[in-house]
Amino acid sequence: MRKFLAFPKEFVWGCASSAYQVEGAWNEDSKGPSIWDTFVHAPGHVVNGETGDVALDHYHRYKEDVALMKELGMDAYRFSVAWTRVLPAGTGTINQAGLDFYDRLVDELLKHKIEPYLCLFHWDLPQALQDKGGWPNRDTAYAFAEYARVVTERLSDRVKVWMTHNEPWVAAMAGYFGGEHAPGIKDVSAGIKALHHLLLSHGLAAEAIRASAIQPVKVGITLNLNPVHAASQSKKDRDAASRMDTILNRTTLDPLLKGTSPIQQFAIGKLLSRSLIKPGDLEKIRTLDLLGVNYYARAVVKHDPKFPVVAASQIHPEGNEYSGMWEIYPEGIYELLTRIWKDYQPNCDIMITENGVPVPDGLDFDGRVRDERRIRYLRNHIAQVHRAMDEGVPVKGYFHWSLMDNFEWALGYGQRFGLVYVDFKTQKRTVKDSGIWFANVIKENGFTSNGK
Ligand code: FCB
C-alpha cells in the first residue's frame, strides 16, 4: 500500500562531502601535502591516473555550492577539514590562511541557515606524520588531539556539531592493510594498530574539543557499518559471518559504545593487543554524543580458509540490483539501525551520515539528468530508515552522499554519487532529477512510499 511517510518536525536533512574529494587547491595558501596528495601523484593508484588536485574546485567555488544546498533546502552540511590546511606539517605551525577558508565556509553556511557538521578527519593524514609512522604510531593520536584543539578554538563559536573521524575502519584497513587507499601499506598488524590509534585519537580529541569549545558542543564519530549475512545455514558459514561481523562492525562499535575491544578473539589481535591497548585507552575511547552511521552495502559471507584473520570471504548473491560498486540492499539500513539499538542502546544521538549510490549519469538531450535509479534507491533506503524509526530507533537525521559528483578515491571520477551532476572539465553544476526529488522530500518532510 502506498502511504505518506512523515518524519519528525526536527528531523535533519542534509548532504555530506569531504575535503579531498571536493576542494582541489591541493597546494594553495601554504597547505601542506597529505598522504592522498602523495598517493595520487604516484602511478598506478587511481583509475586513469586521476587526482584530487582540482576536484570540484570547491575551495574557490564554495559560495556557489552553498547556494546549491540552499536551493535544495538542506538543513545541514557535513564536510571535513583538511588537516594540512590548518597544520601543514601535522603539528606545530598554524596556517591561518587554511583556517580562514573554513571560517568563510562556516559563515556562508550559517548565512543560509545551513547547520555545519564539521568532521576533522576524512582520510587526508599529513604526509609529515605518515613519515613518522602514520596511524600505526601512537603519537599520531596525540597530534590529532592538538589539531582538534586548534580548529575548535577558531570555529566553536559557530560550529556546534563536531565529528572526529569519518570511517576510521576504512582509514585503517584500506590504508594500512588492504593498501588500496593512501598510504598504500599492506600489513595486517599495521592495520590493527592504525585502527586502535584512530579510535584512541577520537577519545583524545573529544576531550580537547570539549575543553576548548566556546559553547556547549556535540562530539560524534561516523562509522561505516555493514550488516553481515551467512551465505548458507551451515555452521561453518554462520561462524564465518559472526567473525566477519566482529571484524567489520564490532571492532569499532564495541570500543565506542561498550568500552571493550573484540580484537583478542583473533590470534593476531591477541598477540598485538597486549602492547597496543594501554590501560585507560578503552575508557577514553568510549565517549559519544552522536553516532553517525554510513550505510552502503551488506556483506554476505562464506567460510573461506584462504583469507587471513577472518577465514571468510564475500559472495555476491543473485536477486538484487548492483551498482558500479555494491549490491543494492535497502533493508540493510533498517537491519543496522535496529541492531545497533538492540545490542548497544546508545546513549547518544544516531544519524545516517552517509548513504548513496554511484550511477553512470549523463546529461540528456535537453540538459536534464534523469537518474531514476538514484531516486528509486533513495526512496527505498529512506523508507527503511522510517521503518526503523517506527520501531523505536530514534534516528535524528539523514545525510545523503553526496551533494555533487566528486573524486571517488582510488576509483577516480568515474563513480558519480551526486544529487548534482558535475562536468569536471567546465565545473558546471546541474541539479539531477534526484536532487529535485530530494529537495521535495525535505520540503514536505517526507514522501509517498512505493508501497513495498
Ligand atoms: C564512503 C566514504 C566517502 C565516499 C563514499 C562513497 O566510504 O566515506 O568518502 O567515498 O564511501
Side-chain angles (χ1 to χ4, degrees):
M1 208 182 53
R2 290 165 68 86
K3 66 169 190 194
F4 188 78
L5 303 180
F7 283 78
K9 212 166 131 265
E10 60 291 351
F11 195 79
V12 178
W13 297 101
C15 56
S17 76
S18 89
Y20 190 72
Q21 292 177 279
V22 303
E23 283 179 2
W26 75 282
N27 60 359
E28 265 180 60
D29 293 338
S30 305
K31 177 182 167 294
S34 81
I35 54 173
W36 271 93
D37 295 316
T38 310
F39 191 71
V40 300
H41 292 145
H45 289 148
V46 180
V47 172
N48 301 325
E50 288 164 348
T51 75
D53 289 0
V54 177
L56 311 190
D57 195 29
H58 174 74
Y59 189 75
H60 299 113
R61 295 170 195 258
Y62 69 96
K63 283 195 177 169
E64 181 189 342
D65 296 339
V66 174
L68 270 171
M69 292 175 217
K70 177 73 191 161
E71 186 186 321
L72 299 183
M74 299 290 170
D75 299 320
Y77 177 48
R78 174 177 166 256
F79 63 95
S80 80
V81 171
W83 188 340
T84 54
R85 288 202 193 281
V86 176
L87 295 158
T91 56
T93 311
I94 300 172
N95 176 36
Q96 293 303 335
L99 278 169
D100 290 347
F101 169 67
Y102 298 106
D103 210 89
R104 293 195 295 276
L105 175 62
V106 164
D107 283 348
E108 192 67 18
L109 289 165
L110 292 174
K111 189 169 109 192
H112 291 291
K113 302 208 163 36
I114 299 169
E115 191 69 31
Y117 278 56
L118 186 152
C119 177
L120 285 163
F121 187 74
H122 201 125
W123 307 352
D124 43 358
L125 182 74
Q127 181 61 44
L129 295 184
Q130 181 53 38
D131 295 343
K132 295 180 188 154
W135 285 113
N137 176 357
R138 192 174 167 99
D139 293 347
T140 303
Y142 294 91
F144 182 69
E146 177 191 332
Y147 155 60
R149 180 185 49 76
V150 171
V151 184
T152 307
E153 280 171 358
R154 180 70 178 265
L155 297 175
S156 64
D157 57 334
R158 286 152 290 158
V159 175
K160 297 189 202 122
V161 187
W162 293 74
M163 309 297 284
T164 53
H165 287 288
N166 174 74
E167 304 189 349
W169 193 94
V170 176
M173 295 306 161
Y176 293 90
F177 175 25
E180 59 274 17
H181 281 184
I185 290 167
K186 295 184 181 152
D187 170 359
V188 64
S189 25
I192 293 173
K193 288 181 192 162
L195 182 58
H196 179 64
H197 295 143
L198 277 149
L199 292 173
L200 174 64
S201 79
H202 159 78
L204 297 171
E207 237 168 59
I209 294 166
R210 292 193 184 113
S212 46
I214 292 163
Q215 59 174 324
V217 292
K218 285 196 172 173
V219 181
I221 196 166
T222 278
L223 303 178
N224 57 296
L225 300 169
N226 313 78
V228 181
H229 294 207
S232 81
Q233 278 316 306
S234 75
K235 170 132 178 31
K236 279 191 158 182
D237 286 348
R238 280 187 290 129
D239 288 350
S242 158
R243 288 193 300 276
M244 189 66 104
D245 177 56
T246 301
I247 292 283
L248 291 180
N249 302 312
R250 292 189 42 215
T251 49
T252 49
L253 285 172
D254 285 12
L256 286 158
L257 295 172
K258 281 190 177 161
T260 58
S261 167
I263 64 168
Q264 300 193 358
Q265 287 177 22
F266 302 93
I268 176 128
K270 195 166 190 170
L271 193 75
L272 288 173
S273 65
R274 270 178 236 133
S275 56
L276 183 63
I277 306 181
K278 309 264 188 237
D281 282 7
L282 290 169
E283 288 78 37
K284 279 211 166 64
I285 294 169
R286 186 192 186 185
T287 176
L288 272 189
D289 303 318
L290 166 60
L291 174 66
V293 175
N294 290 0
Y295 174 70
Y296 290 97
R298 67 170 168 174
V300 182
V301 303
K302 63 170 190 199
H303 175 72
D304 188 346
K306 280 199 306 296
F307 280 78
V309 189
V310 270
S313 64
Q314 236 178 294
I315 64 150
H316 301 293
E318 298 300 324
N320 282 325
E321 276 187 285
Y322 280 75
S323 74
M325 288 164 74
W326 301 289
E327 180 197 15
I328 299 179
Y329 181 68
E331 295 82 357
I333 204 165
Y334 161 84
E335 291 171 11
L336 262 183
L337 290 167
T338 48
R339 185 264 175 107
I340 292 170
W341 191 239
K342 180 167 140 285
D343 287 1
Y344 296 92
Q345 306 206 302
N347 185 19
C348 64
D349 290 350
I350 304 174
M351 288 186 166
I352 297 297
T353 39
E354 282 183 30
N355 174 233
V357 63
V359 180
D361 300 317
L363 296 175
D364 289 336
F365 65 96
D366 55 357
R368 237 173 86 185
V369 182
R370 294 171 172 81
D371 56 338
E372 282 304 318
R373 188 183 217 186
R374 181 171 291 100
I375 296 177
R376 198 159 63 240
Y377 179 98
L378 281 169
R379 197 188 277 286
N380 292 339
H381 283 74
I382 303 174
Q384 294 289 334
V385 174
H386 193 273
R387 181 178 163 210
M389 293 168 71
D390 263 354
E391 292 181 19
V393 188
V395 184
K396 296 266 164 64
Y398 174 95
F399 287 71
H400 184 69
W401 183 271
S402 185
L403 175 71
M404 296 178 283
D405 298 336
N406 60 47
F407 178 74
E408 181 46 37
W409 308 110
L411 301 177
Y413 293 97
Q415 301 293 334
R416 292 178 176 270
F417 275 91
L419 297 170
V420 176
Y421 180 86
V422 179
D423 179 328
F424 296 113
K425 288 207 181 71
T426 61
Q427 294 294 352
K428 185 171 177 328
R429 279 81 159 131
T430 305
V431 177
K432 300 178 191 178
D433 282 7
S434 61
I436 297 169
W437 184 86
F438 194 62
N440 208 46
V441 172
I442 302 176
K443 197 163 128 229
E444 298 189 351
N445 206 22
F447 62 97
T448 303
S449 74
N450 62 7
K452 276 200 266 163

